[in-house]
Amino acid sequence: MVNYEELEQYDKNKTKVLKYVIYKKRSENEIKRKFEKDIDSNMLEEIIADLKENGYIDDIQYIDRSVREFIALKNLSLKQIKYKLLAKGIDSDLIDEYFHNNTDELNDYEINSAQKLIIKKSDCSDEEIIQTLLKKGYEYDNVKEALERSNEWKIY
């Protein structure tokens, strides 16, 4: 027999979660953290499963969209991007898989990002620039590549 009160509560909670997700795309973990105190854990798991099944929650799409936003808006190292995704509660295996599948594109981004910072710090020595970029989490090989490209431009 169907318990109409439970069904009504489920619909009410699902609507609440859906509004939260539609307002701004969220990771599964963000949703759990937001509603863990307000919604029974079993009901919340059902709601999340339902929303995942219907495409409203997708952590892989979330990673892709977030990385593209970071690339468009900021000069961040790949390590900084990873940390931001981890802070959102994204599974590290999903992040690693995404970075592995997009290695070339992400390395090109990091080299270009490093170049922009090198240009801003053109009054510093190469060693100071390298140390600054390494502290920000840039990969050493990408920093060297960016420096080489920047030094080629200085010759002309």
Side-chain angles (χ1 to χ4, degrees):
M1 185 167 161
V2 176
N3 182 335
Y4 289 108
E5 286 179 17
E6 282 184 27
L7 190 58
E8 190 174 313
Q9 189 63 42
Y10 179 85
D11 284 343
K12 187 175 164 184
N13 287 332
K14 183 177 174 184
T15 300
K16 196 185 309 183
V17 173
L18 188 57
K19 283 181 181 178
Y20 181 69
V21 171
I22 288 176
Y23 176 74
K24 179 183 174 206
K25 290 293 183 187
R26 316 282 180 165
S27 70
E28 182 177 339
N29 201 303
E30 283 180 293
I31 295 163
K32 286 179 181 175
R33 279 187 269 163
K34 169 77 174 168
F35 294 104
E36 67 187 352
K37 293 178 180 147
D38 302 332
I39 302 174
D40 171 71
S41 62
N42 291 334
M43 185 181 287
L44 184 57
E45 288 298 327
E46 282 182 47
I47 291 169
I48 288 172
D50 190 16
L51 294 177
K52 283 171 78 170
E53 188 177 309
N54 290 302
Y56 290 103
I57 302 171
D58 185 335
D59 281 356
I60 294 170
Q61 283 183 353
Y62 184 90
I63 293 169
D64 186 57
R65 186 174 39 263
S66 295
V67 168
R68 295 194 186 290
E69 285 175 11
F70 293 139
I71 287 172
L73 301 174
K74 299 181 168 72
N75 283 330
L76 298 173
S77 68
L78 296 180
K79 192 175 280 186
Q80 288 171 313
I81 291 173
K82 280 184 181 183
Y83 286 140
K84 286 184 175 290
L85 292 169
L86 287 169
K88 293 289 186 182
I90 303 291
D91 183 89
S92 62
D93 291 339
L94 285 177
I95 296 169
D96 291 341
E97 181 182 336
Y98 178 85
F99 275 65
H100 175 75
N101 292 339
N102 296 283
T103 300
D104 292 341
E105 178 186 347
L106 292 172
N107 279 334
D108 286 344
Y109 156 75
E110 189 173 67
I111 291 167
N112 290 331
S113 176
Q115 275 185 283
K116 290 176 187 173
L117 292 170
I118 289 167
I119 291 167
K120 286 181 184 177
K121 296 199 170 284
S122 60
D123 56 333
C124 297
S125 72
D126 283 359
E127 194 54 43
E128 289 174 313
I129 291 171
I130 290 170
Q131 290 307 313
T132 300
L133 292 174
L134 292 177
K135 284 179 189 170
K136 290 180 178 270
Y138 285 82
E139 293 290 326
Y140 182 76
D141 291 343
N142 290 340
V143 171
K144 287 302 248 184
E145 176 71 24
L147 262 175
E148 287 173 15
R149 289 182 188 179
S150 295
N151 287 334
E152 287 173 9
W153 291 342
K154 289 179 187 176
I155 294 171
Y156 297 108

